[in-house]
Amino acid sequence: MLTQKRLGTAELLFKSAQKLGLEPSWIVPRGLFAVTSNGVEKYINLSHSPLNSQTAVSLARNKHLTRLILGRHSLPNIPFMRPKHHDEATAFLALHGKIIAKPTHGLGSQDIHIIISPTQLQALTVKKYILEKYIAGTEMRYLVLNDAVIAVHRSEYGVSVAQDRYLERFSINEGNWDADLVALSTTITTIAGLNI
């Protein structure tokens, strides 16, 4: 069941820190907040925090590297490729019929393109993108802190994921979390060395 309030990632983290007794306090509303861990004040600024190593952050931000790591561990993955030339991208489109192009290092669900024709690919510098088979469905995000899922939300993109639009997230009550996705989320974050 969905809660009535829409919560951003920072707010979800803040509420989880409260539950964990970390005494969070906002420094910048809905952005930067402080927590107290072992008597030491630390800072959470969305995905930037001392809880993750530089290597773990670099892996998580690069969609291509993340997909390669999932494959090495035989974890569920979306058919993907990182093309060097338009010919490779066109062949991938022909194989799957409908694909999605995401910037390899993109953030905030921006510059995403749904591709159904080779003409659309020609407008892109394809080597800057990772291509994935388009799969219709609901996007769920499982937020993990220190090997435990602390929040889940559903992403809403409005009319089209391909448009630059505000991403809204709706919190899901813990009783409605998918146990298999909880286990998968903690497995992936452990493999990637992510603490948050």
Side-chain angles (χ1 to χ4, degrees):
M1 177 112 190
L2 299 176
T3 60
Q4 295 299 317
K5 186 173 178 177
R6 300 171 188 167
L7 296 174
T9 302
E11 293 168 302
L12 289 169
L13 286 169
F14 188 91
K15 287 183 175 293
S16 297
Q18 285 176 318
K19 289 179 186 176
L20 293 170
L22 298 175
E23 303 171 22
S25 60
W26 289 109
I27 296 171
V28 176
R30 301 180 71 187
L32 173 67
F33 65 91
V35 296
T36 303
S37 178
N38 296 324
V40 178
E41 185 171 272
K42 297 186 179 181
Y43 307 97
I44 307 294
N45 187 13
L46 293 176
S47 61
H48 307 282
S49 84
L51 299 175
N52 291 327
S53 71
Q54 185 176 6
T55 300
V57 170
S58 70
L59 295 177
R61 284 190 173 169
N62 186 309
K63 295 174 182 68
H64 183 242
L65 296 181
T66 299
R67 297 249 173 259
L68 291 175
I69 290 169
L70 292 175
R72 288 178 65 84
H73 291 270
S74 301
L75 293 167
N77 216 338
I78 297 171
F80 72 96
M81 78 167 308
R82 186 169 179 201
K84 293 179 182 164
H85 307 288
H86 278 92
D87 290 345
E88 293 174 326
T90 302
F92 187 78
L93 173 63
L95 177 64
H96 296 291
K98 187 175 186 179
I99 62 175
I100 188 162
K102 300 176 180 179
T104 305
H105 297 283
L107 290 172
S109 302
Q110 299 297 310
D111 193 24
I112 294 175
H113 307 270
I114 296 173
I115 308 292
I116 58 172
S117 75
T119 305
Q120 291 173 286
L121 282 173
Q122 292 300 321
L124 300 177
T125 305
V126 293
K127 63 183 179 181
K128 294 182 179 179
Y129 293 84
I130 182 172
L131 305 180
E132 298 175 351
K133 176 182 178 180
Y134 179 85
I135 298 175
T138 302
E139 179 182 311
M140 304 297 293
R141 294 188 178 214
Y142 283 66
L143 185 61
V144 179
L145 176 63
N146 294 330
D147 299 320
V149 172
I150 58 171
V152 175
H153 61 244
R154 186 191 78 214
S155 299
E156 283 290 338
Y157 292 100
V159 176
S160 171
V161 71
Q163 296 177 358
D164 285 339
R165 69 283 171 271
Y166 181 73
L167 172 64
E168 294 180 327
R169 294 183 177 136
F170 296 86
S171 296
I172 306 298
N173 292 329
E174 188 171 353
N176 294 317
W177 295 358
D178 183 303
D180 291 335
L181 291 179
V182 167
L184 183 60
S185 298
T186 56
T187 296
I188 290 170
T189 54
T190 298
I191 289 168
L194 290 162
N195 292 311
I196 191 166

